[in-house]
């Protein structure tokens, strides 16, 4: 949504924002006229003149007092509405990304967007918009008065403002670029600090704190240097227009003095001087405010533009068109090839996956097991070749529709700081019967029954109060309650001790879903229950019946050291 559309959506609160700016302008105009009247009394002072003009002074003072009360209250609703919607849209942009789009940036990068960039927008947008609107109202009102007092002077002053506006455009590109640079430097710093804190244990155990302190200090200096450049540019703009306005105001003063010597009315000359000051003097900050406003619009676009990643990376696949998906027969992989960073991971691979069967993906570290799993689960789509689910090309199926019918069980299960029930249902509405069935099949019934609040028991942050087995069983329950037609499991039992790992592996194999799993462990009497083994080796794939596959009982394929690699 464009910023102008968001403003229109909040048009009632924006009206009061504009009204507040208009009232402020009226207040400034009142001050100007009061001052002019007060000075004008000195030209030919008399009791009658003082009495006749006193009412103008009193009325003007009341207007100023009332405007000061109103102008600070009218903009509040508009600011609050825009800030709330911006935060919601920025978060929605992140949460609605596809798996591949999301992985183009780190989580720390997104956190920086939600905190630093929103703060940048808030600091600049409202202040600059308010300054611009007040200047416009003030200029229009004062120019109308000047046209009645001195038409020639009004036209000259209007021409000067036009020239100053075009001069300000010389700074526009530099301001926007530096604003963007400040945003990017904040992102990079957030990522670096987050990485350092994540590795704090290693840093302390190896006594290298000072190295990282120095590194962070250097990064802080770099961020501040970027901000300093931006502030210097804004300062230069303000000082440039300040000197220019002083020079122009001096010319106006000389012009009015000459008119006074020729018999002009003092009150009118003071109004001209005051008007010129209110129109010319703000140029020292109004034109930099225009550039700041435009830069804040760029930040808004960065926060809310859902096509940003697509524009930056044209290799991302187009979203599918089919909104319904059912797996009835088999998945057919034909001539599948995938490369990562110019390195071929899978080369011209073809095989079938039959509905209801259990498939175990095996292979040495770095062979491409996780990559194959990610491709089959539609989290990676920039491959060549075809994958057909029944008669439909998988790329034609919308990701949301596909994800509705599949489930994931990972080695590291993420749990929300919420109830057991919400962690299983993931905030969807299932019947009590569906929930209880999922809990029983996943082996959680006794665990939940022992809790005082049962399924409404709150979990600690990321389930820190649960054992590894309990965490995995919640993950299994999530897949069961979704009635997943295809279940993808990536090292679901590798972080558990052998006996518990065997229980989890058996629980997964006992499910009715088609299973595609990666496991480097061998569990005697359980691993043989897979129907087929997909061996990934030398960029190719070979499928064996599990009964004919020679499992290495010493875990030859132990790739636990490779858990963190993105493309295994």
């Amino acid at each position: 949504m464009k910023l102008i559309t968001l403003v229109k959506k909040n048009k009632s609160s924006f009206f009061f924002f504009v009204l507040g700016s208009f009232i402020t302008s009226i207040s400034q105009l009142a001050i100007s006229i009061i001052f002019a009247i007060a000075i004008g009394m000195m030209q030919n002072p008399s009791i009658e003149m003082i009495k006749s003009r006193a009412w103008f002074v009193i009325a003007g003072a009341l207007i100023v007092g009332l405007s000061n009360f109103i102008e600070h209250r009218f903009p509040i609703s508009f600011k609050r509405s825009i800030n709330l919607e911006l935060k919601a849209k920025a978060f929605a942009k992140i949460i609605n990304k596809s798996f591949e789009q999301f992985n183009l940036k780190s989580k720390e990068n997104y956190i920086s967007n939600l905190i630093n960039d929103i703060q940048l927008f808030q600091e600049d947008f409202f202040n600059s918009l308010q300054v611009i609107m007040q200047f416009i109202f003030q200029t229009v009102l004062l120019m109308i008065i000047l046209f009645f007092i001195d038409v020639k002077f009004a036209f000259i002053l209007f021409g000067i403002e036009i020239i100053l506006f075009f001069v300000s455009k010389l700074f526009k590109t530099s301001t926007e670029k530096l604003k963007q640079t400040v945003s990017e430097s904040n992102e990079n710093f957030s990522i670096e600090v987050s990485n350092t804190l994540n590795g704090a244990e290693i840093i302390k155990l190896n006594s290298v704190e000072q190295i990282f302190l120095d590194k962070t200090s250097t990064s802080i200096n770099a961020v501040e240097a970027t901000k300093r450049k931006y502030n210097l540019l804004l300062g230069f703009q303000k000082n440039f227009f300040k000197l220019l306005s002083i020079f122009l105001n001096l010319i106006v003063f000389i012009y009015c003095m000459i008119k006074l010597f020729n018999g002009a009315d003092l009150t009118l000359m003071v109004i001209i001087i005051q008007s010129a000051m209110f129109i010319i003097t703000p140029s020292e900050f109004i034109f930099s405010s225009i550039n700041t406003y435009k830069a804040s619009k760029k930040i808004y676009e960065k926060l809310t533009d859902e096509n940003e990643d697509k524009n930056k990376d044209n290799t991302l696949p187009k979203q599918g068109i089919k909104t319904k998906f059912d797996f009835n027969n088999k998945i057919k992989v034909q001539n599948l090839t995938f490369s990562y960073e110019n390195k071929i991971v899978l080369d011209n691979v073809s095989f079938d996956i039959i509905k209801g069967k259990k498939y175990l993906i095996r292979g040495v570290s770095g062979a491409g097991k996780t990559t194959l799993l990610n491709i089959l689960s539609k989290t990676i789509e920039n491959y060549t070749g075809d994958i057909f689910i029944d008669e439909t090309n998988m790329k034609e199926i919308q990701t949301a529709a596909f994800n509705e019918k599949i489930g994931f069980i990972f080695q590291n299960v993420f749990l929300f700081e919420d109830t057991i029930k919400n962690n299983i249902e993931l905030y969807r509405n299932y019947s009590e019967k569906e929930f209880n069935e999922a809990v029983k099949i996943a082996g959680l019934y006794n665990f939940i029954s022992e809790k005082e609040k049962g399924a409404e028991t709150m979990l600690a942050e990321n389930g820190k109060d649960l054992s590894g087995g309990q965490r995995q069983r919640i993950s299994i329950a999530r897949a069961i309650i979704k009635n997943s037609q295809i279940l993808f499991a990536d090292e679901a039992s590798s972080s558990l001790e052998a006996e518990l790992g065997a229980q989890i592996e058996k629980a997964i194999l006992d499910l009715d879903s088609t299973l595609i799993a990666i496991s480097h462990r061998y569990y005697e009497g359980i691993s043989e229950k897979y129907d087929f083994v997909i061996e990934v080796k030398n960029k190719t794939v070979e499928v064996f019946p599990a009964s004919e596959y020679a499992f290495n009982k010493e875990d030859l394929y132990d790739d636990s050291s490779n858990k963190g690699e993105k493309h295994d």
Side-chain angles (χ1 to χ4, degrees):
M1 182 186 289
K2 290 185 178 180
L3 185 55
I4 186 66
T5 309
L6 183 59
V7 171
K8 287 179 180 178
K9 184 180 177 183
N10 295 276
K11 56 186 176 184
S12 57
S13 60
F14 180 63
F15 169 77
F16 285 102
F17 181 85
V18 174
L19 185 59
S21 299
F22 180 72
I23 290 171
T24 303
S25 302
I26 293 291
S27 171
Q28 295 293 338
L29 181 61
I31 291 171
S32 178
I33 293 174
I34 290 170
F35 183 79
I37 290 172
I39 296 295
M41 290 179 188
M42 300 176 186
Q43 190 173 22
N44 295 302
S46 66
I47 298 298
E48 290 75 17
M49 179 183 290
I50 292 172
K51 287 181 178 179
S52 64
R53 295 189 178 186
W55 292 108
F56 287 102
V57 175
I58 293 170
L62 289 172
I63 291 172
V64 172
L66 182 63
S67 68
N68 286 334
F69 177 78
I70 293 174
E71 66 177 304
H72 296 296
R73 286 160 178 77
F74 276 17
I76 293 174
S77 177
F78 177 68
K79 290 180 180 180
R80 184 174 61 246
S81 299
I82 296 296
N83 284 335
L84 287 174
E85 293 212 35
L86 173 61
K87 289 174 182 177
K89 290 184 181 303
F91 185 74
K93 175 191 172 183
I94 294 170
I95 210 72
N96 288 329
K97 288 176 180 285
S98 69
F99 183 85
E100 287 182 286
Q101 287 174 338
F102 183 81
N103 281 332
L104 290 173
K105 295 180 180 179
S106 68
K107 294 172 187 175
E108 291 75 22
N109 196 297
Y110 294 123
I111 292 171
S112 177
N113 290 158
L114 291 172
I115 298 174
N116 296 327
D117 286 346
I118 287 177
Q119 186 178 353
L120 278 175
F121 175 84
Q122 290 172 344
E123 287 174 355
D124 291 341
F125 175 72
F126 297 109
N127 289 337
S128 59
L129 181 60
Q130 207 161 15
V131 167
I132 292 167
M133 296 189 72
Q134 288 174 6
F135 177 76
I136 291 171
F137 286 132
Q138 191 172 283
T139 300
V140 170
L141 292 170
L142 290 172
M143 288 299 290
I144 290 172
I145 293 173
L146 287 175
F147 270 107
F148 281 103
I149 296 173
D150 191 330
V151 176
K152 182 179 177 182
F153 178 80
F155 273 114
I156 292 172
L157 193 60
F158 182 73
I160 289 171
E161 283 300 298
I162 296 295
I163 293 169
L164 290 176
F165 173 74
F166 282 105
V167 170
S168 73
K169 291 180 76 68
L170 298 174
F171 298 99
K172 174 179 174 290
T173 303
S174 299
T175 304
E176 289 180 359
K177 283 184 178 178
L178 274 175
K179 188 75 171 177
Q180 187 71 19
T181 304
V182 169
S183 171
E184 290 171 358
S185 64
N186 280 334
E187 284 182 15
N188 294 334
F189 180 69
S190 297
I191 293 168
E192 184 178 328
V193 170
S194 178
N195 288 337
T196 301
L197 292 176
N198 287 336
E201 185 177 351
I202 295 173
I203 291 170
K204 288 180 178 296
L205 289 174
N206 289 278
S207 301
V208 290
E209 292 95 336
Q210 191 58 48
I211 295 173
F212 281 87
L213 281 172
D214 293 341
K215 186 180 177 184
T216 303
S217 179
T218 301
S219 299
I220 291 172
N221 290 333
V223 171
E224 292 306 313
T226 306
K227 291 179 180 178
R228 190 161 56 248
K229 286 180 183 178
Y230 176 70
N231 291 327
L232 282 172
L233 178 63
L234 292 182
F236 176 78
Q237 290 181 66
K238 289 178 181 179
N239 289 329
F240 173 79
F241 286 110
K242 185 175 183 178
L243 288 172
L244 201 57
S245 66
I246 291 171
F247 175 73
L248 292 171
N249 279 317
L250 182 61
I251 293 175
V252 172
F253 182 77
I254 293 171
Y255 171 80
C256 289
M257 290 298 293
I258 293 170
K259 297 271 285 184
L260 271 174
F261 282 122
N262 292 327
D265 183 75
L266 178 59
T267 300
L268 295 181
M269 291 304 100
V270 173
I271 289 176
I272 289 177
I273 292 172
Q274 285 280 92
S275 299
M277 287 180 64
F278 278 122
I279 294 172
I280 295 174
T281 303
S283 63
E284 67 183 72
F285 57 83
I286 185 63
F287 294 116
S288 63
S289 293
I290 291 172
N291 290 333
T292 302
Y293 168 77
K294 290 178 178 177
S296 66
K297 282 180 65 179
K298 293 285 186 183
I299 295 295
Y300 174 85
E301 290 169 7
K302 175 186 174 185
L303 285 166
T304 61
D305 183 10
E306 295 185 357
N307 294 316
E308 176 196 16
D309 294 328
K310 295 175 185 177
N311 295 335
K312 285 183 178 179
D313 192 344
N314 293 324
T315 63
L316 289 175
K318 293 182 179 179
Q319 182 58 265
I321 57 173
K322 293 186 180 292
T323 57
K324 291 186 178 180
F325 159 69
D326 274 301
F327 179 34
N328 298 311
N329 188 15
K330 68 178 178 179
I331 299 172
K332 190 171 188 63
V333 180
Q334 290 184 332
N335 309 119
L336 171 67
T337 298
F338 177 79
S339 299
Y340 178 66
E341 293 183 348
N342 298 320
K343 178 185 176 182
I344 296 176
V345 181
L346 298 169
D347 189 13
N348 201 33
V349 168
S350 298
F351 61 95
D352 293 344
I353 289 176
I354 309 301
K355 182 179 180 179
K357 301 298 182 182
K358 318 295 181 186
Y359 291 82
L360 176 63
I361 301 176
R362 303 275 282 184
V364 296
S365 175
K369 303 185 298 299
T370 300
T371 297
L372 180 59
L373 189 78
N374 285 338
I375 290 172
L376 293 172
S377 61
K378 201 174 166 62
T379 51
I380 291 178
E381 294 190 273
N382 55 332
Y383 55 83
T384 59
D386 296 295
I387 300 176
F388 292 96
I389 300 180
D390 299 328
E391 302 300 322
T392 303
N393 193 307
M394 192 162 74
K395 286 185 177 180
E396 295 179 4
I397 303 168
Q398 284 193 0
T399 302
F402 183 79
N403 288 343
E404 282 293 318
K405 300 295 179 71
I406 66 170
F408 289 92
I409 301 175
F410 297 109
Q411 177 184 344
N412 297 314
V413 182
F414 180 81
L415 298 174
F416 295 95
E417 193 174 348
D418 208 322
T419 63
I420 296 173
K421 188 173 190 291
N422 283 339
N423 269 284
I424 292 174
E425 294 184 341
L426 292 177
Y427 306 94
R428 296 186 177 190
N429 293 319
Y430 292 99
S431 68
E432 186 176 350
K433 181 182 178 182
E434 289 173 313
F435 179 79
N436 289 334
E437 185 179 357
V439 164
K440 287 177 182 177
I441 295 173
L444 285 169
Y445 182 78
N446 290 336
F447 165 70
I448 293 176
S449 299
E450 291 169 0
K451 299 291 181 182
E452 184 180 345
K453 294 184 179 180
E456 297 300 324
T457 301
M458 291 290 294
L459 299 182
E461 181 186 357
N462 198 16
K464 289 179 180 178
D465 50 347
L466 299 183
S467 68
Q470 290 163 348
R471 295 167 64 87
Q472 287 295 15
R473 290 188 186 279
I474 287 177
S475 184
I476 294 169
R478 285 175 179 174
I480 295 169
I481 205 167
K482 274 183 73 177
N483 194 24
S484 305
Q485 295 182 1
I486 308 172
L487 182 60
F488 296 94
D490 190 356
E491 299 289 3
S493 63
S494 64
S495 61
L496 307 176
E497 55 91 14
E499 184 178 349
L500 183 57
Q503 292 175 15
I504 295 297
E505 194 90 2
K506 183 178 183 301
I508 294 172
L509 281 164
D510 286 342
L511 299 178
D512 292 334
S513 306
T514 302
L515 175 64
I516 304 171
I518 295 174
S519 179
H520 73 275
R521 279 188 169 183
Y522 170 74
Y523 298 105
E524 188 171 3
I526 297 175
S527 295
E528 288 85 357
K529 290 186 176 182
Y530 282 96
D531 295 297
F532 297 95
V533 174
I534 301 173
E535 186 173 50
V536 184
K537 186 177 181 180
N538 297 328
K539 305 173 188 176
T540 62
V541 163
E542 192 170 354
V543 181
F544 300 91
S547 58
E548 298 176 10
Y549 185 77
F551 284 100
N552 191 310
K553 299 182 182 181
E554 295 180 357
D555 289 344
L556 175 63
Y557 294 113
D558 187 351
D559 57 352
S560 57
S561 63
N562 198 44
K563 293 171 190 173
E565 290 192 17
K566 186 176 180 182
H567 291 277
D568 178 21

